Amino acid sequence: MQTLSLILSAIPNGLMTGAVYALIALGLTLVYGVLHIVNFAHGATLTAAMYAVYVLHAVFRLDPYLSVFLLTPIFFALGYAVQRFVIGPASHGSDNNILLVTLGLAIIIENALLAGFRSDTRSVDVPWNFNVIEVAGLFLPWPKVFAFFASFVVAGLLALLLTTTDMGRAIRAVAKEKTGAELVGINVSHIYAVTFGLGAACLAIAACLLMPTYLVNPRAGDAFVLVAFTIVVLGGMGSIPGALIGGLFIGVVEAVTSILLGESLGQIGIFLIFILVLLVKPTGLFGAKA
Amino acid sequence: MTDVSYRTIAVVVAALALLPLVLSGNVMVNFLAMAMIVTLAAQGWNILGGFGGQFSFGHAAFFGFGAYTMAILQVRFGVNAWFAIPLAIAAGALVGLFIGVLSFRANLRGSYFALVTLAFAEVFRILVNAWSFAGGAAGILVPINKGAINGQFADQRVFYWFALGCVAIVLFLTAYLLRTRFGAHLIAVRENEDAAMALGANTLKVKLGAIALSGGVTALAGALYTMKFLYLDAKIAFGAWISVEALLGAIVGGLGTVLGPVVGTLALLGLGEVTKHAVTRYTGGTIAGIDLAVFGALLILCVAFAPRGVLGVVDRVRAKYVGSRA
C-alpha cells in the first residue's frame, strides 16, 4: 500500500500548511463576523504583506521573523485607515457596495504590485530555509513547523483580546447588535476600522510566516483567498474555532488530493467542498444562524 | 422602469454602426470590436446584477462556456461557426440554470452568491485547464479558414458590425423584457425579495430566468471572442478579467439601465487605452496592469460618487440645466 503511506505522510504537511491557512482565514472571519461583509481585498492585502517582507529582506536584510514586529502594526494602521476613510464612506452602508469597493481595492493593490514588481516570482532566502526536524520518522521543514505553532499562538492571542479586553468586548458587542452598541456609546465606525485593522495585521503575520517557504508574485494572494473563503464558510462565518479547525481540515484535504489527483487538480477538492458547504449548510459547522 | 425608448436604442446603435466609417484604422476597429464583446458580457451581467440585484463575481463561467463550446464544436466536431453560436448560447444558459438552481434554491444572497459564482468559475477554469480534449493548458486553436461562411471575416469591420448587431438584439430584448411582467418581477426581487414573494411573485423562477438569460448573453460574448481571436486557453476564457470587466462595464455605465453597459464599457476600455497610451508617452515604456489599476479606482469612485454610473451623472446634469425629463 504505497499510496496509503504517501497519504499518511501528506497529512502532517497538510496540517502545517493548514495552520497558516487558518491564520489567513482568521482575519477574514473576524471582519465578516463584525461587519457582515466579505472582504474581497483580503488576498491582495496578503500579497502586499508578502512583498513587504520581501522588500525588507532584500533591502535591509531583515529576517522575515523580525519583520513581524514592524509589519504587524503597519498593516494594522493601514487596515484601520482603509476601512475608516475609504470603504466606510464610499459604500454608503450598503452590503453590495462594500463588496464592490473591496473588489476595487483588490484590483488596485494587485495591479499596483504588478506595475511595481513586474510579474517575476520572488522569494526570500534565509540560511535556515531548508532545515528539517525529524518527528516519528518524518522529516518536517522547520519553517513550516514554526509557522504551525506560531499560528496557534496568534489565534490564542486574538481570542484573548476578544474575550478579556474592553476593546474585545466592544468588538463583540458591535458584532452582535450594532444599534445597541451604538446606543451604549460605542463608536461603531471606530470598531469597524479596528476590526479591519486586526484582519490586516493577521495577514502581516501570516506573510512573515509564509515567506521563508513560499514564493510571491502579484497574484500569489489569489491562491490563498478562495482557500480562506472556503475555510471561513466551512467553519462558519465569524467563528474563530471554526476558522482554526476549518484551516487544518482544508490543509489536509489539499495535501491529500494533490497526491491523488496531481498538483494541477489539487485545489479542486477545496472548491468542491466550498460549493458543497455553501449549498448544503451555508452557516458552516460552527456558525450561528445568519 | 422603462427607462429608455426603442428609438433611443436605435439611434445609439446607428451611431455606433457609423463609427468605423468615420474613425479609420485597424487599431480603432479592433478596439471597437473588443468593446462590443465586453459590452455583451456586461449586458449579460446587468440582466442578473443590475435588474435582479444578484451580484455575480464569476461571469467568466458563462463567457468561458460560450467560448469553449464555440471552439470545441468547430475544432473537434467540424460544426460550422454559424451553427455553433446558438449552441454556445444554449450552453451558457444551461450553465446559468445549473448554477442558479444550486445557489438560489439554497437561498444564497449577497456576498454568498458572489462567492459561489466565483468558485464555480475557478472550478471550471481548473477543470478545462486539465482537460486534454479541450486543448488542456496549451489552449485550443481554431484553424484559419477565411470566409464569411466560416464566420472568419477578411474585413474586421464586418465582424464589428456583426458584434454590434448582437449587442443591438440584446439591447432591444432587454428593453422589451422590462416592459413585461417578468421584468417587473425581476426589479421587485432586487428592491425587496421578501416583499416580492409576499405579493405573489415566484422569485425563484424569476431569478432562474434571469440567470439563464444572463448566462446565454455572456456566453454569446465568449463565442464572439473565439470567432475574433480563434484562440483560447482556460486563463483567457475563465479568467477573472472578464468577470471584472463585465461587472465594471455595467456599474460604470449605470447599474440596471438598458444602455448602461454600452456606455460603461466604451468609457472603461477607452480609459484603459488612454492610460496605457499616456504611460507609454511619459515613461517611454509600458507598465503592466496600470489600466486595470485605473479600473479598480474607477469602480470605487463610481460606488462612492456616482452610484448610477455615467448615465446617472448625465441625468443629474440634464435635470440641473435642462429640467427633468420626467
Side-chain angles (χ1 to χ4, degrees), chain A residues 32 36-38 40 86 89-92 96-105 107-108 111-112 114-116 118 219 226 229 233 237 264-268 271-272 274-275 278-280 282-283 290, chain B residues 45 53 55 57 102-103 106 108 110-112 114-116 118-120 122-123 125-127 129-130 240 244 247-248 251 255 286-290 292-300 303-305 307:
Chain A
Y32 185 87
H36 304 289
I37 55 131
V38 168
F40 267 90
V86 181
S91 51
H92 311 297
N96 270 349
N97 282 346
I98 302 180
L99 265 181
L100 293 176
V101 173
T102 57
L103 178 70
L105 283 173
I107 299 171
I108 295 176
N111 289 288
L114 179 63
R118 309 274 152 171
R219 318 216 48 180
L226 265 174
F229 283 140
V233 166
M237 294 257 198
S264 68
L265 283 176
Q267 289 207 315
I268 278 284
F271 293 131
L272 290 181
F274 179 59
I275 293 172
L278 269 184
L279 299 177
V280 178
T283 48
Chain B
W45 192 91
F55 284 21
F57 281 10
L102 287 177
S103 45
L108 298 185
S111 32
Y112 284 104
L115 277 175
V116 85
L118 181 69
F120 271 113
E122 278 295 291
V123 167
R125 184 180 63 76
I126 295 173
L127 285 178
N129 201 44
V244 168
L247 163 158
L248 268 169
I251 289 173
L255 202 57
T286 54
I287 300 180
I290 191 77
L292 289 172
V294 171
F295 291 176
L298 193 64
L299 175 59
I300 296 177
V303 171
F305 302 112

Side-chain angles (χ1 to χ4, degrees), chain B:
Chain B
M1 274 290 287
T2 52
D3 72 336
V4 66
S5 68
Y6 293 125
R7 216 179 60 194
T8 316
I9 297 174
V11 170
V12 170
V13 170
L16 285 172
L18 290 176
L19 271 182
L21 302 176
V22 186
L23 305 158
S24 55
N26 264 337
V27 177
M28 197 66 205
V29 174
N30 276 327
F31 167 78
L32 287 172
M34 190 61 200
M36 284 309 113
I37 293 173
V38 178
T39 299
L40 273 174
Q43 280 179 312
W45 192 91
N46 195 34
I47 292 171
L48 183 67
F51 297 114
Q54 314 295 317
F55 284 21
S56 146
F57 281 10
H59 257 51
F62 309 131
F63 185 86
F65 255 86
Y68 265 99
T69 307
M70 183 82 179
I72 290 173
L73 282 177
Q74 286 185 76
V75 175
R76 301 281 176 195
F77 298 100
V79 176
N80 179 281
W82 298 107
F83 287 111
I85 291 179
L87 293 173
I89 296 175
L94 276 177
V95 174
L97 268 184
F98 172 71
I99 296 179
V101 165
L102 287 177
S103 45
F104 291 142
R105 278 174 66 100
N107 215 4
L108 298 185
R109 296 180 188 180
S111 32
Y112 284 104
F113 180 69
L115 277 175
V116 85
T117 49
L118 181 69
F120 271 113
E122 278 295 291
V123 167
F124 293 145
R125 184 180 63 76
I126 295 173
L127 285 178
V128 168
N129 201 44
W131 191 28
S132 57
F133 185 73
I140 190 165
L141 197 68
V142 180
I144 293 184
N145 193 356
K146 290 268 184 224
I149 189 84
N150 300 316
Q152 299 182 16
F153 307 106
D155 186 347
Q156 275 302 307
R157 285 184 303 179
V158 181
F159 174 80
Y160 167 71
W161 282 317
F162 171 64
L164 176 62
C166 294
V167 169
I169 292 171
V170 177
L171 283 177
F172 283 116
L173 180 73
T174 317
Y176 165 75
L177 280 177
L178 288 181
R179 290 161 166 80
T180 63
R181 182 171 291 270
F182 169 77
H185 281 173
L186 188 58
I187 287 166
V189 164
R190 176 187 69 192
E191 294 303 323
N192 189 335
E193 191 168 341
D194 297 320
M197 207 184 305
L199 289 172
N202 186 341
T203 55
L204 177 63
K205 218 165 144 189
V206 168
K207 287 198 283 184
L208 286 180
I211 198 171
L213 194 63
S214 177
V217 171
T218 308
L220 174 60
L224 291 187
Y225 185 95
T226 305
M227 219 173 155
K228 176 165 170 53
F229 293 97
L230 300 173
Y231 171 76
L232 280 181
D233 64 27
K235 240 190 200 153
I236 298 174
F238 290 100
W241 71 277
I242 188 67
S243 298
V244 168
E245 285 185 17
L247 163 158
L248 268 169
I251 289 173
V252 169
L255 202 57
T257 58
V258 175
L259 287 173
V262 183
V263 177
T265 308
L266 282 171
L268 187 71
L269 297 188
L271 184 68
E273 289 304 312
V274 169
T275 312
K276 277 193 277 193
H277 198 76
V279 166
T280 319
R281 185 133 190 218
Y282 292 111
T283 66
T286 54
I287 300 180
I290 191 77
D291 50 336
L292 289 172
V294 171
F295 291 176
L298 193 64
L299 175 59
I300 296 177
L301 290 175
C302 261
V303 171
F305 302 112
R308 282 170 53 240
V310 175
L311 290 181
V313 173
V314 170
D315 266 2
R316 242 186 320 191
V317 171
R318 188 156 56 181
K320 195 164 175 190
Y321 294 105
V322 189
S324 170
R325 358 168 231 184

Side-chain angles (χ1 to χ4, degrees), chain A residues 160-208:
Chain A
L160 222 61
L161 177 105
L162 285 176
T163 46
T164 59
T165 65
D166 279 348
M167 179 55 78
R169 269 188 281 276
I171 289 175
R172 285 184 299 136
V174 172
K176 268 230 171 78
E177 177 53 59
K178 192 181 102 184
T179 325
E182 209 159 13
L183 281 174
V184 296
I186 294 172
N187 182 348
V188 171
S189 50
H190 172 68
I191 295 296
Y192 274 3
V194 167
T195 312
F196 220 85
L198 285 175
C202 283
L203 289 177
I205 300 170
C208 296

Side-chain angles (χ1 to χ4, degrees), chain A residues 61-82:
Chain A
R61 297 274 129 211
L62 196 60
D63 189 292
Y65 292 159
L66 291 177
S67 303
V68 155
F69 300 103
L70 187 64
L71 288 179
T72 310
I74 291 179
F75 270 77
F76 175 81
L78 283 176
Y80 184 96
V82 163

